Amino acid sequence: MSNLTLYLLLWPTIAGILILFLKGQSAKRTAFGAALIEFFMAILAMIQYEPNAYRQFTFDHTWIENFGINFSIGMDGISLLLVFLTTFLVPLIILSSFPHSYKNPNVFYALILFMQTGLIGVFTSFDAFLFYFFWEVALIPIYFIAGIWGGERRILITFKFFLYTIIGSLFMLVGFVYLYFQTPGTHTSDINAFYQLNLSATDQSWIFWFLFIAFAIKMPVFPFHTWQPDTYTESPTQATMLLSGIMLKMGIYGVIRWLLPVVPKGVSQWDTLVVVLAIIGIVYGAIIAIRQSDLKRLVAFSSISHVGLIAAGIFTLTEHGMQGGIIQMLSHGINVVGLFFIIDIIYRRTHTREIANLGGITQTTPALSIFFLILLLGTVALPLTNGFVGEFLLLSGVYQYNNWMGAIAGLTIILGAVYMLRMFQGVMFGEQNNVTATFHDLTRLEKAVLIPLVIMVFWIGLHPNTFMSLTEPTVGHLLGIINR
């Protein structure tokens, strides 16, 4: 199975094309089956992966020979973890859509699988232009999913999202083209050639901003975040899950893979500013989340806060910060998808996401209450849950970088507990009302979505080395390049 990465890349595309020809509800079941097969291929990759070896499951083929551009894919520890996250969440996201009746379901589910191809491509590409190609491939399906099946303001909001991301992509393309022409001899866009460039500090400073803006928009980091809350709110829940659980990680991954090791001198000139912006995002996102009355917007702003901490940790260029950022990408994806699914359950039963209109739900929903509480505790980083491991490492990294910045970043623990517990109290406790009086507990299908997520909350919290041992050698390799 040396071509496992290629199979992971092709399978969702093939399945998506076949689903386009299906009619009725068979499309959703076929998409779920296809996503499960993709997940089992990722598990096989994890079993066969050798942590101390470099890039594995590679496939290299000449793409545009005259320009030195190759179809070069493979996986190291970081790629593998993000491929696992993608393939773990996509079947759950598809399963979570079963209670919905979307118009043209074959197109809806085919687009989800096409987007999965783009995401896998982004996380496994080792050629700059191939990475850019899959970056755009991942954007197009989510644009149509949000634009066609979104809320009343979907056209305006989706256009704003598209405009932001396409501008970011153009910045990245300009940066890559410049780097490409700096490679010696016959030019190439191979990642190792980019790593070996010896650009001046001035050039690296300019390239830093071209690449950083592209990745900062996608993450998103303050002040590049303004597209995010509206897009999360207006998109159908499955699109929100894809955006927050997986697509958001493209920007963080881009920083780790394509920014820090390529222009380390540029990073050293601007890292303090980025860490400050990230910490502003931590506090800003949390305070705005506290003020939100709409559940979806609350979780959207909480994501800005959590991503701010990930960005701050990564830009400390410490092993703790880098490892913490990677493990927190995994944890955040699991927790935020679970929270958005619970919000979807509440909305389907009550037709409202306003906290003031809810209350007393826990009186008739023991299973929902337990799942909701576990995901919430994982989000606020309670020890023994998945959020604790990443946040501890991230805060440790920021504290090593600067004591005061570490102290301010630590506010995320207090503020996160405030907005999450306020949400739980307002929705689940108190007296029932006309809206929540007939609220019933989870169905089997809803439990089937939430049980794997909760298992992962405790698995990562209790056995983080299962995942950190996969990424540790790769992180050491990248830090060696950055600090050379």
Side-chain angles (χ1 to χ4, degrees):
M1 299 290 279
S2 59
N3 291 330
L4 202 48
T5 309
L6 184 64
Y7 301 148
L8 280 162
L9 198 60
L10 291 178
W11 174 244
T13 304
I14 295 169
I17 292 171
L18 293 175
I19 287 168
L20 283 174
F21 295 98
L22 298 178
K23 294 182 179 178
Q25 301 308 308
S26 60
K28 66 172 68 172
R29 291 191 291 271
T30 307
F32 178 64
L36 276 183
I37 292 172
E38 181 82 348
F39 175 62
F40 289 130
M41 282 197 281
I43 293 295
L44 185 61
M46 291 188 80
I47 293 170
Q48 295 185 359
Y49 183 75
E50 172 53 51
N52 291 316
Y54 187 51
R55 198 191 321 171
Q56 296 167 54
F57 315 118
T58 57
F59 177 83
D60 290 288
H61 185 75
T62 301
W63 183 15
I64 307 175
E65 186 174 3
N66 292 340
F67 294 96
I69 300 173
N70 297 316
F71 196 97
S72 179
I73 55 174
M75 285 188 271
D76 60 11
I78 301 173
S79 301
L80 181 65
L81 207 60
L82 288 165
V83 167
F84 168 77
L85 176 68
T86 305
T87 58
F88 173 72
L89 289 181
V90 168
L92 296 179
I93 291 170
I94 292 173
L95 192 61
S96 76
S97 72
F98 277 29
H100 295 273
S101 295
Y102 291 115
K103 188 179 179 182
N104 299 321
N106 55 334
V107 178
F108 180 81
Y109 292 104
L111 286 172
I112 290 179
L113 293 177
F114 291 152
M115 183 177 175
Q116 187 176 22
T117 294
L119 292 164
I120 296 290
V122 165
F123 297 139
T124 59
S125 293
F126 286 85
D127 181 282
F129 292 117
L130 188 65
F131 174 82
Y132 178 79
F133 170 76
F134 282 117
W135 184 277
E136 297 303 305
V137 168
L139 171 64
I140 295 168
I142 197 68
Y143 172 78
F144 285 110
I145 292 173
I148 296 173
W149 291 276
E152 293 180 358
R153 299 170 59 222
R154 63 185 184 279
I155 301 300
L156 177 64
I157 298 303
T158 307
F159 179 73
K160 182 180 178 182
F161 163 66
F162 184 78
L163 196 63
Y164 261 80
T165 50
I166 204 70
I167 290 173
S169 298
L170 291 175
F171 271 93
M172 178 167 58
L173 182 60
V174 171
F176 279 166
V177 168
Y178 182 84
L179 291 168
Y180 168 81
F181 282 111
Q182 300 309 305
T183 55
T186 305
H187 300 306
T188 176
S189 51
D190 181 79
I191 194 168
N192 287 321
F194 279 22
Y195 285 176
Q196 292 167 13
L197 289 174
N198 189 23
L199 303 177
S200 68
T202 305
D203 285 352
Q204 293 201 25
S205 179
W206 281 107
I207 296 301
F208 170 86
W209 281 107
F210 277 101
L211 298 183
F212 175 74
I213 288 173
F215 300 140
I217 289 173
K218 192 72 80 180
M219 291 164 76
V221 169
F222 180 90
F224 303 96
H225 66 282
T226 57
W227 64 269
Q228 191 229 44
D230 290 335
T231 307
Y232 279 20
T233 307
E234 289 298 318
S235 299
T237 297
Q238 284 63 45
T240 308
M241 290 175 170
L242 288 165
L243 281 164
S244 60
I246 311 171
M247 197 170 186
L248 177 152
K249 279 69 187 178
M250 286 167 51
I252 305 168
Y253 176 81
V255 169
I256 295 172
R257 177 75 69 197
W258 292 97
L259 178 63
L260 302 182
V262 173
V263 288
K265 292 177 183 174
V267 174
S268 67
Q269 295 177 62
W270 298 108
D271 61 334
T272 303
L273 175 61
V274 174
V275 174
V276 169
L277 289 176
I279 290 175
I280 290 173
I282 294 171
V283 178
Y284 166 81
I287 291 175
I288 301 298
I290 291 171
R291 294 170 57 85
Q292 294 304 306
S293 58
D294 182 293
L295 292 172
K296 240 183 168 182
R297 290 185 72 82
L298 189 155
V299 176
F301 278 104
S302 78
S303 275
I304 295 173
S305 183
H306 284 105
V307 169
L309 181 58
I310 295 174
I314 288 172
F315 272 90
T316 63
L317 304 181
T318 61
E319 185 175 354
H320 279 186
M322 195 80 82
Q323 277 282 61
I326 294 165
I327 203 73
Q328 191 65 354
M329 278 198 280
L330 181 64
S331 300
H332 177 266
I334 290 163
N335 293 336
V336 79
V337 163
L339 289 175
F340 276 125
F341 181 56
I342 285 176
I343 292 170
D344 185 56
I345 293 170
I346 292 170
Y347 184 76
R348 276 189 281 113
R349 290 178 180 33
T350 63
H351 304 291
T352 181
R353 294 193 302 262
E354 289 293 320
I355 296 175
N357 296 335
L358 300 167
I361 292 176
T362 194
Q363 294 177 25
T364 55
T365 61
L368 175 64
S369 303
I370 292 170
F371 284 119
F372 193 179
L373 185 62
I374 291 172
L375 289 164
L376 183 148
L377 294 176
T379 304
V380 300
L382 189 80
L384 306 183
T385 65
N386 57 349
F388 175 77
V389 181
E391 285 207 7
F392 176 80
L393 290 170
L394 287 166
L395 289 173
S396 173
V398 179
Y399 189 79
Q400 288 175 34
Y401 182 78
N402 183 288
N403 295 354
W404 285 104
M405 290 183 181
I408 298 172
L411 290 174
T412 186
I413 298 173
I414 300 169
L415 297 174
V418 171
Y419 59 71
M420 281 295 166
L421 293 175
R422 172 181 167 271
M423 175 174 69
F424 192 80
Q425 182 181 14
V427 173
M428 304 302 288
F429 292 145
E431 297 297 324
Q432 288 186 322
N433 54 41
N434 293 336
V435 174
T436 59
T438 58
F439 203 103
H440 61 84
D441 210 351
L442 297 175
T443 63
R444 288 183 181 177
L445 187 145
E446 290 163 349
K447 289 178 183 175
V449 175
L450 290 170
I451 286 172
L453 296 171
V454 167
I455 288 173
M456 288 302 296
V457 168
F458 288 117
W459 191 346
I460 298 171
L462 294 170
H463 303 287
N465 280 338
T466 307
F467 304 96
M468 293 175 65
S469 61
L470 295 173
T471 59
E472 190 174 1
T474 307
V475 168
H477 176 70
L478 287 177
L479 285 174
I481 295 172
I482 294 167
N483 297 318
R484 66 182 184 270

